[in-house]
Amino acid sequence: MYSREGQAVGTFKAVVVTKGESGTSAALSDFNDADLMEGDVTFRPEWSTVNYKDGLAVTGKSPVVRRFPMIAGIDGAGTVETSSHPDWKPGDKVILNGWGCGETHLGMYAQRARVKGDWLVPVPTGMTTRDAMAIGTAGYTAMLAVMALERHGVTPARGPIVVTGAAGGVGSVAIAVLSKLGYHVIASTGRTSEAEYLQRLGASEIIAREELAGTPRPLAKERWAGGIDSVGSVPLANVLAMTKYGGAVAACGLAAGMDLPGSVAPFILRGVSLLGIDSVMCPLAVRRAAWQRLAVDLDRKKLSEITNEIALADVLDAGAKILGGGVRGRLVVKVD
Ligand code: NDP
């Protein structure tokens, strides 16, 4: 039996990753309601996003998917349909990101999802589900990084903040938030053609990626009070070596590599701290605080500037593009 839209009854559209003899592959397919995993809340994702990790999942470039078949998509926002969880009722607008969705639990590139109510965060007042996913995991991770710097006492008066991978998702939101909070932002990018875009977001200075690409010395000239790094490897080692006495760098990504070829000199001679940022298993109270902060500290006009909209069917191409560093800002996915 088929619905008026030609959809088989009891199924929904989803981007499904399967595993065969030659590896994994992803396709837009019909998925059975009956095959949803356990959970006490069923909701209808209206918007999702393309994050770097989604690119890894749909292309199979890295083994982030650990159950097959898997619906990809690490984050989504939508409306609750049914719930036996005390915090949620039908009609509530919710955000889900992380907790293994798209990796070990069926993910958000889907017109239906069943999850644990304990994983959900309410969409903050004044934000739409589309806004929430324009921000997405990348933007929420940027906020976690800003909050980590604040906890460490890195105020605007202490000096500039460098943001690496500046034209990417984490980088773009980090620049917009930091500039609104009054920080002097130095954006490091491999795409100097995006200088105007980065300035519109609030970057005061732009530096070329190459400036952080040389073999890291234990210590270099002190240039910034802190950093938000989404690339790891050599650039992160150089950022640390150039951080001022007592400063801190929040590290959340590995776009340049997972290694860290530096020395302990910044830590033991300048009291610099390396702050680790994880969005996936981050406790609920911190998540709620981060989303509330995003509702206040991220200029919505800048969010529009950062965001491009695509359809569910476009996710496969976009996944490959983000891994090549070819996506500017954020991609928001219209699921319905
Ligand atoms: P994007 O692809 O949108 O941004 C990454 C940016 O890094 C690119 O736009 C590019 O910026 C830069 N970049 C890419 N390749 C290289 C390279 N070889 N050397 C130096 N810079 C490079 O991804 P996201 O912003 O969504 O994610 C960024 C990173 O953060 C990823 O590694 C992701 O896995 C990680 N992440 C981690 C989370 C966590 O919980 N810890 C949560 C979310 C993301 P430019 O062109 O400006 O140089």
Side-chain angles (χ1 to χ4, degrees):
M1 229 171 55
Y2 291 86
S3 70
R4 249 187 301 162
E5 293 78 29
Q7 178 84 34
V9 170
T11 70
F12 57 86
K13 289 275 178 231
V15 173
V16 182
V17 183
T18 51
K19 192 172 187 176
E21 274 174 17
S22 54
T24 67
S25 60
L28 183 63
S29 331
D30 288 342
F31 200 89
N32 273 317
D33 276 338
D35 294 331
L36 282 171
M37 291 168 77
E38 284 199 5
D40 45 12
V41 175
T42 303
F43 82 103
R44 186 175 282 278
E46 291 151 9
W47 297 94
S48 182
T49 79
V50 181
N51 296 281
Y52 193 86
K53 195 186 264 181
D54 297 314
L56 295 174
V58 297
T59 60
K61 282 245 166 78
S62 186
V64 294
V65 175
R66 277 164 282 142
R67 170 205 191 269
F68 298 93
M70 171 55 68
I71 296 175
I74 64 168
D75 49 11
T79 306
V80 172
E81 285 188 332
T82 59
S83 166
S84 57
H85 188 283
D87 291 353
W88 307 109
K89 58 178 188 325
D92 285 346
K93 301 286 181 193
V94 292
I95 300 171
L96 185 135
N97 62 280
W99 301 115
C101 283
E103 301 179 67
T104 52
H105 192 95
L106 293 175
M108 298 291 119
Y109 292 153
Q111 293 169 328
R112 185 152 302 133
R114 188 171 302 131
V115 299
K116 287 188 183 174
D118 287 347
W119 292 346
L120 296 168
V121 169
V123 175
T125 309
M127 218 186 248
T128 62
T129 50
R130 188 183 187 280
D131 291 337
M133 283 302 105
I135 295 167
T137 297
Y140 140 84
T141 302
M143 192 73 229
L144 292 178
V146 171
M147 289 161 65
L149 292 178
E150 288 175 340
R151 276 198 304 277
H152 195 80
V154 181
T155 58
R158 295 270 299 274
I161 304 294
V162 66
V163 175
T164 61
V170 173
S172 295
V173 176
I175 293 168
V177 170
L178 287 167
S179 72
K180 182 156 188 216
L181 293 172
Y183 289 91
H184 178 104
V185 181
I186 302 176
S188 162
T189 183
R191 290 178 271 179
T192 41
S193 55
E194 297 293 357
E196 257 184 51
Y197 161 79
L198 297 170
Q199 278 158 354
R200 282 198 303 275
L201 292 186
S204 304
E205 292 177 57
I206 316 284
I207 61 171
R209 190 190 284 177
E210 289 72 39
E211 285 197 38
L212 301 175
T215 304
R217 287 187 281 144
L219 292 175
K221 184 169 177 271
E222 294 173 74
R223 294 177 72 176
W224 32 73
I228 294 183
D229 176 68
S230 59
V231 305
S233 193
V234 167
L236 174 56
N238 277 313
V239 164
L240 287 165
M242 296 175 190
T243 300
K244 290 184 184 190
Y245 193 94
V249 179
C252 69
L254 43 60
M258 214 175 192
D259 57 334
L260 181 51
S263 84
V264 296
F267 311 131
I268 64 175
L269 298 176
R270 286 191 184 152
V272 168
S273 295
L274 180 56
L275 312 173
I277 305 299
D278 168 59
S279 66
V280 179
M281 302 307 286
C282 178
L284 205 55
V286 184
R287 281 171 192 261
R288 282 177 179 254
W291 282 104
Q292 289 301 334
R293 286 284 306 271
L294 283 159
V296 177
D297 293 331
L298 175 60
D299 185 328
R300 227 50 76 73
K301 273 205 204 110
K302 286 186 181 170
L303 184 60
S304 306
E305 167 99 12
I306 290 169
T307 309
N308 285 302
E309 184 179 314
I310 62 170
L312 199 52
D314 301 330
V315 159
L316 303 173
D317 285 345
K321 198 170 167 198
I322 199 168
L323 296 189
V327 170
R328 184 178 92 172
R330 301 277 304 130
L331 289 178
V332 65
V333 180
K334 191 169 182 1
V335 175
D336 253 344

